[in-house]
């Protein structure tokens, strides 16, 4: 079997993406000048409960940064000008994961896998509008998320124990709730539910795993 019953798996994955817009137009948003990044690190521990099937836990830490220099929103006669907008957020997620492996032919080196994740996440975010250098406006947010997701991928063994993994994020079901306070005075909240089973090719992760 590719992953025999009773085998332990220790590993993790890292993903990093950046964006940079220069006078970019998107629908009603014009002259977008922005930059930012997303970083995620995710260790995992699994145990093979059956041949080619494993159960375990995964933790993930993510960090987002966005800086919008300028952006103009135009709706008929309404013009909204956005300048010097900053967003910095962190999130920590704990997951129960289930993996099943499908070897490619009779190969003991290569296989595809799917990882199903049941996750609970906590997050914090700081949003700052610095257009007015005298009266800077800021918002602080705390969030809670519940999700059920899929992460298909490809695994290749470098030797008998060490494997390299590539996975593509696929969101399934997600519920989010956010509480915020604006300028330390005004409070607000929002809730959202999202259903999406499209493969996110912009969320490719690379990882290493050690099989005992």
């Amino acid at each position: 079997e590719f992953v025999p019953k009773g085998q332990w798996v220790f590993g993790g994955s890292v993903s990093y993406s950046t964006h940079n817009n220069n006078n970019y137009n998107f629908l009603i948003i014009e002259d977008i000048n922005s930059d930012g990044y997303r970083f995620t690190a995710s260790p995992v521990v699994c145990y093979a409960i059956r041949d080619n099937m494993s159960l375990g836990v995964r933790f993930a830490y993510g960090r987002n940064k966005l800086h919008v220099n300028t952006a103009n929103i135009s709706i008929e006669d309404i013009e909204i000008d956005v300048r010097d907008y900053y967003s910095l957020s962190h999130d920590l997620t704990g997951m129960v994961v289930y993996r099943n492996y499908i070897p490619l032919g009779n190969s003991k080196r290569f296989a595809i896998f799917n990882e199903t994740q049941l996750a609970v996440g906590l997050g914090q975010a700081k949003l700052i509008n610095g257009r007015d250098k005298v009266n800077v406006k800021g918002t602080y947010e705390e969030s809670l998320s519940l999700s059920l997701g899929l992460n298909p991928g490809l695994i290749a063994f470098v030797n008998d124990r060490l494997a390299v993994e590539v996975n593509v994020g696929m969101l399934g079901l997600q519920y989010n709730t956010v509480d915020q306070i604006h300028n330390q005075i005004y409070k607000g909240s929002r809730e959202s539910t999202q259903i999406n089973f499209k493969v996110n090719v912009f969320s490719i992760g690379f990882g290493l795993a050690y099989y005992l």
Side-chain angles (χ1 to χ4, degrees), residues 3 47-55 98-101:
V3 178
Y47 178 77
I49 55 176
R50 295 181 60 183
D51 292 341
N52 296 335
M53 297 181 183
S54 61
L55 188 66
Y98 168 75
R99 270 196 178 197
N100 60 294
Y101 300 82

Side-chain angles (χ1 to χ4, degrees), residues 124-165:
Q124 295 180 339
K126 297 178 181 179
L127 315 174
I128 301 174
N129 183 355
R131 180 179 179 179
D132 185 342
K133 301 300 182 181
V134 178
N135 299 309
V136 176
K137 299 179 180 179
T139 301
Y140 174 75
E141 294 184 345
E142 292 185 346
S143 61
L144 169 67
S145 65
L146 305 173
S147 64
L148 174 64
L150 304 176
N151 276 277
L154 177 68
I155 181 172
F157 273 92
V158 178
N159 54 41
D160 291 340
R161 297 293 183 184
L162 184 64
V164 178
E165 299 179 355

Side-chain angles (χ1 to χ4, degrees), residues 7-10 44-48 54-57 97 99 101 115:
Q7 192 166 53
W8 284 93
V9 183
F10 299 89
V44 61
V45 178
C46 290
Y47 178 77
S54 61
L55 188 66
V57 293
V97 300
R99 270 196 178 197
Y101 300 82
E115 183 175 297

Side-chain angles (χ1 to χ4, degrees), residues 10-75:
F10 299 89
S13 62
V14 175
S15 64
Y16 181 78
S17 62
T18 63
H19 85 269
N20 192 304
N21 295 314
N22 184 18
N23 293 324
Y24 182 73
N25 297 324
F26 179 74
L27 299 178
I28 61 173
I29 307 177
E30 303 174 347
D31 302 326
I32 304 172
N33 291 278
S34 66
D35 59 85
Y37 66 82
R38 166 71 178 176
F39 169 77
T40 304
S42 180
V44 61
V45 178
C46 290
Y47 178 77
I49 55 176
R50 295 181 60 183
D51 292 341
N52 296 335
M53 297 181 183
S54 61
L55 188 66
V57 293
R58 179 186 288 274
F59 297 93
Y61 168 77
R63 177 185 173 93
N64 291 281
K65 183 180 180 181
L66 171 66
H67 176 210
V68 179
N69 291 298
T70 60
N72 299 312
I73 302 175
S74 178
I75 306 175

Side-chain angles (χ1 to χ4, degrees), residues 113-115 117 149-154 165-171 198-206:
F113 69 86
N114 180 60
E115 183 175 297
Q117 303 173 344
L150 304 176
N151 276 277
L154 177 68
E165 299 179 355
V166 179
N167 63 75
V168 181
M170 179 187 293
L171 175 65
K198 293 182 179 179
V199 174
N200 185 0
V201 296
F202 298 104
S203 181
I204 297 176
F206 297 89

